[in-house]
Amino acid sequence: MKKKKMMALLCAMALTTGCLYGCGQSDGGSVQTDTGAGTAAASDTGSVGGETADISEHVDISIGGINVGNSSSSEGWPSEIVTYIEDKFNVTLETKNYDNESLNLDLSGGTTCDILQINDEHIESILKGKHAVDLSQYQDTLAKNIFSDTYSFRNEVLKSFKSNGEDKLYFVTPRVTSDNAQSTFGATLNYGYAVRWDLYKEIGSPEIKNDDDYVEALKKMKEIYPETEDGLPVYALSAYNDSNLHPYFFIGCLTQGYSNMESGLYVKNMKTNELVPDIYDVNLDGVTTPFWAGISFYNKLYKADLLDPDCFITKGEDLTEKYTKGQYLGGYVNWHYGNWNKNARAEDPETMKQFVILPAYMGWANERNFAGWQGKYFLVSSHSKNIERAVMILDYLQSEECARIVDSGVEGRWEIGEDGKPALTEDTIDMKSNTARAEEWTKSGIGATFSDMVGFDPNNIASDGSAISLWEKPDIMVRNLTAAEKDMCKEFGIELPSDLLKKKMEAGESMDMSAGNSAIQFGMEIVPSDIGRIDSNCEQITINAIPGLVQAKTDEEFQAAKEALMAELKAAGAEDSIAWWTQAWNTSKEAVENMQ
């Protein structure tokens, strides 16, 4: 079954004045397409497909999840966007972070948040415990956005594979890619080879094609910057050990062309969509998997005296602290060095002391998530005291309108130009790049709390002909570059930092993720308990082996440590796990490809 095209006239459906679900309504009462938010004002009722939903009573709605932050500690809460949604639906919103223990506790007590976000590991217990509301019953009333053509394939996948065979829709996913999504690399790269631009430029901006080139560049940078201005020791980077195997295999995903499953025991070849065992590589005939590429990279850093000696006890918050103090020269994700960049620019808006990212072999861009983001499932809790209002808000989060305001700001932060197209205002563009307006930017809520909750991919083309995210226009991206990023572009003769990846792709030296099919993961069977125990054990065995591998002083010592790990994994049942995963993956791959 082929995916349907996104309806260009989504809001030409029968809607009446005052509709609160999906399409915006102009003050004059004429129906307008779902492209941006108007002035929000809660009425006593909202017309939904000819029915009336009463929102006269003000209620509290909470959104909680494994990957959701706490609004109580969120800077700028409630933002302009939060306030807009609160006014629109006559609610007060709050968000809550769950871990597995607290989520299970609330589920057992029937005290969960109204809207929940869970991972794959929670699906079975949620369905068996009947903790999720069947959204299908609201298809023609409160959930018209969720059941729009934009999500037809996504919904089919979730009903087929995430409903215990009931063919009902209990979950929705964020950031669904439409057929008409534009290809873009953005302004800058989020993942790749990170360097301190000032130091990298000082050593001559050498081309970095692989890990060896990168290690050499880091060596030279450390030679000219061995310690911080405060006398603290400087290193290339460190791992973040609160993410299990992720810091060790993710760099390899970028350099080898793979996407990871959650645990990292298995990865997906982004060109062929084949499943590959990432750690137990005994039968792979010389293929370098992400984990072993990553371990080799860390070993090279260790031998070059570039690795933080606290590597194996450092957590994400420790990493952020050391980046903020200037103790690291590189990295490969943009999660931890933000405060350094922000603080340096606050002192001097024209500073060159900024981290920038150079492309690795694979750019984490143009991933086609036709079923949305796997591992991020949103549901309305059956324990909610305000189920209908929760459905309404979840449905709104799935609307084109909501995606636009989350990515580009509430109306007023952008406006319709003479050409009939929406465009960011000069004031909004300045607000993002002006360090003196950082607090105002935070308060706007753009790209913040709801960014991982909305349904539309930012590169989807909206019904007004523009991308959902109005920041994706080339002239806007150029204008929002920092002084260091502009200097980087001047150095390399490009317009945007991401052009480095684009040029490498054009030369056949790099790739993006456009050939990958992320929907295959959705069709995977639930991992049986015996395989789950094997996988958990193999993951812990590997974690325990990492220090010996990374700190191997010779190639012979490294190989001996690897052989010992392989033997231990085999004894733990790794080959049984590989047999199950391979069969389950191939079955899912065939089923999903037939659906498409």
Side-chain angles (χ1 to χ4, degrees):
M1 174 179 175
K2 295 183 178 179
K3 300 184 306 301
K4 298 178 182 178
K5 298 287 185 181
M6 181 174 69
M7 289 174 62
L9 299 177
L10 176 61
C11 296
M13 301 167 67
L15 299 177
T16 59
T17 303
C19 171
L20 297 177
Y21 315 98
C23 298
Q25 189 75 29
S26 67
D27 291 337
S30 60
V31 175
Q32 85 183 54
T33 53
D34 184 16
T35 58
T39 301
S43 61
D44 289 343
T45 60
S47 176
V48 188
E51 298 184 13
T52 299
D54 184 1
I55 64 168
S56 59
E57 180 186 359
H58 186 89
V59 300
D60 296 332
I61 294 293
S62 55
I63 304 173
I66 300 297
N67 301 110
V68 175
N70 292 308
S71 55
S72 59
S73 58
S74 177
E75 188 178 357
W77 186 277
S79 67
E80 293 174 355
I81 293 168
V82 172
T83 300
Y84 177 85
I85 297 174
E86 288 180 330
D87 291 345
K88 189 175 185 72
F89 293 100
N90 196 21
V91 299
T92 296
L93 293 172
E94 67 173 356
T95 63
K96 174 183 177 179
N97 177 254
Y98 278 112
D99 56 24
N100 287 333
E101 182 178 355
S102 59
L103 175 60
N104 290 332
L105 185 64
D106 276 11
L107 286 171
S108 63
T111 57
T112 61
C113 292
D114 300 283
I115 297 172
L116 292 176
Q117 178 269 314
I118 60 170
N119 299 335
D120 281 283
E121 63 187 282
H122 309 112
I123 293 282
E124 183 176 18
S125 61
I126 289 288
L127 292 176
K128 283 187 176 180
K130 299 187 182 302
H131 298 298
V133 170
D134 172 22
L135 299 171
S136 305
Q137 62 188 303
Y138 300 104
Q139 179 169 349
D140 298 321
T141 55
L142 305 184
K144 284 194 172 183
N145 287 299
I146 289 172
F147 286 93
S148 69
D149 270 19
T150 302
Y151 303 116
S152 60
F153 175 71
R154 187 275 309 272
N155 293 349
E156 184 181 358
V157 167
L158 292 177
K159 286 194 294 182
S160 297
F161 302 120
K162 305 296 181 184
S163 72
N164 269 351
E166 298 175 19
D167 197 38
K168 295 179 180 179
L169 189 71
Y170 291 104
F171 310 104
V172 298
T173 51
R175 297 302 189 183
V176 174
T177 306
S178 298
D179 283 340
N180 65 358
Q182 66 180 8
S183 293
T184 177
F185 299 100
T188 61
L189 302 176
N190 294 324
Y191 313 125
Y193 293 120
V195 294
R196 267 270 303 271
W197 175 248
D198 56 324
L199 302 174
Y200 178 69
K201 185 179 179 182
E202 189 174 340
I203 65 170
S205 308
E207 183 177 10
I208 295 176
K209 292 184 176 181
N210 50 47
D211 288 348
D212 290 334
D213 292 343
Y214 187 42
V215 171
E216 286 304 310
L218 291 167
K219 281 182 186 177
K220 293 177 181 177
M221 285 189 279
K222 185 176 180 179
E223 288 173 2
I224 61 175
Y225 191 73
E227 62 181 31
T228 69
E229 287 76 6
D230 295 327
L232 297 173
V234 168
Y235 309 104
L237 50 86
S238 175
Y240 35 97
N241 293 279
D242 42 357
S243 294
N244 296 330
L245 296 174
H246 192 274
Y248 300 99
F249 66 70
F250 189 70
I251 177 64
C253 284
L254 300 173
T255 60
Q256 306 302 312
Y258 290 84
S259 175
N260 58 284
M261 308 294 111
E262 285 189 18
S263 69
L265 295 178
Y266 299 92
V267 289
K268 176 177 65 178
N269 184 310
M270 290 303 288
K271 284 187 175 179
T272 66
N273 288 303
E274 294 175 320
L275 185 78
V276 175
D278 191 19
I279 299 170
Y280 193 81
D281 65 348
V282 173
N283 299 313
L284 295 184
D285 297 326
V287 172
T288 301
T289 66
F291 176 79
W292 289 108
I295 288 293
S296 177
F297 170 65
Y298 274 89
N299 180 243
K300 291 172 182 176
L301 292 176
Y302 172 77
K303 290 177 178 177
D305 196 28
L306 291 169
L307 190 64
D308 186 342
D310 291 334
C311 177
F312 308 113
I313 60 173
T314 297
K315 295 184 177 181
E317 59 186 25
D318 304 318
L319 212 59
T320 299
E321 181 181 355
K322 286 190 175 182
Y323 270 110
T324 302
K325 292 178 179 178
Q327 289 186 261
Y328 293 132
L329 302 170
Y332 45 89
V333 298
N334 65 348
W335 310 333
H336 303 107
Y337 60 66
N339 286 341
W340 166 271
N341 279 5
K342 178 181 176 181
N343 294 343
R345 289 185 64 226
E347 286 187 22
D348 176 13
E350 300 301 312
T351 185
M352 296 293 109
K353 294 181 178 181
Q354 298 278 278
F355 282 97
V356 298
I357 292 185
L358 307 171
Y361 170 62
M362 185 181 77
W364 208 271
N366 296 321
E367 187 174 13
R368 302 306 188 189
N369 295 305
F370 294 118
W373 284 352
Q374 186 259 345
K376 281 182 180 284
Y377 305 100
F378 286 86
L379 63 107
V380 172
S381 171
S382 60
H383 307 294
S384 171
K385 296 178 181 179
N386 299 286
I387 285 178
E388 288 197 354
R389 202 78 61 93
V391 171
M392 292 154 62
I393 290 174
L394 182 60
D395 184 68
Y396 182 68
L397 290 172
Q398 292 272 300
S399 72
E400 180 182 303
E401 175 186 302
C402 189
R404 171 62 59 76
I405 68 171
V406 166
D407 288 337
S408 306
V410 297
E411 189 174 359
R413 294 294 182 188
W414 52 271
E415 57 191 16
I416 304 298
E418 293 181 359
D419 60 356
K421 300 289 187 181
L424 296 164
T425 65
E426 290 295 318
D427 182 71
T428 302
I429 296 169
D430 176 75
M431 178 179 62
K432 182 178 183 180
S433 57
N434 189 337
T435 55
R437 302 180 67 186
E439 185 175 345
E440 186 181 356
W441 170 258
T442 299
K443 192 66 178 176
S444 76
I446 298 173
T449 301
F450 295 112
S451 185
D452 289 354
M453 301 183 192
V454 296
F456 278 58
D457 185 277
N459 296 324
N460 285 358
I461 302 301
S463 51
D464 56 25
S466 298
I468 289 292
S469 174
L470 299 177
W471 299 97
E472 290 295 313
K473 298 180 179 180
D475 59 324
I476 300 297
M477 290 191 286
V478 170
R479 290 179 58 182
N480 275 286
L481 297 177
T482 66
E485 289 163 351
K486 290 177 180 177
D487 190 60
M488 173 184 179
C489 291
K490 182 180 178 181
E491 176 80 3
F492 294 123
I494 53 180
E495 291 189 357
L496 294 167
S498 63
D499 286 345
L500 288 176
L501 173 62
K502 185 178 179 181
K503 290 174 69 174
K504 282 181 173 290
M505 283 190 60
E506 291 170 350
E509 298 173 358
S510 289
M511 61 176 285
D512 64 6
M513 306 179 77
S514 57
N517 186 348
S518 63
I520 298 171
Q521 284 103 296
F522 289 86
M524 286 286 292
E525 298 175 47
I526 295 173
V527 179
S529 57
D530 58 334
I531 299 300
R533 284 191 295 270
I534 291 173
D535 290 349
S536 180
N537 193 22
C538 286
E539 183 177 1
Q540 190 57 54
I541 288 170
T542 304
I543 289 172
N544 294 341
I546 285 174
L549 290 161
V550 170
Q551 297 177 116
K553 294 181 173 59
T554 64
D555 292 346
E556 291 75 17
E557 188 177 332
F558 183 93
Q559 187 59 32
K562 179 176 180 178
E563 289 174 0
L565 173 59
M566 293 298 100
E568 196 170 356
L569 291 175
K570 182 176 182 178
E575 292 179 347
D576 292 335
S577 172
I578 290 171
W580 182 88
W581 273 88
T582 301
Q583 182 274 329
W585 179 267
N586 290 340
T587 299
S588 174
K589 184 173 182 289
E590 181 180 2
V592 168
E593 288 175 349
N594 286 338
M595 291 171 69
Q596 289 178 312

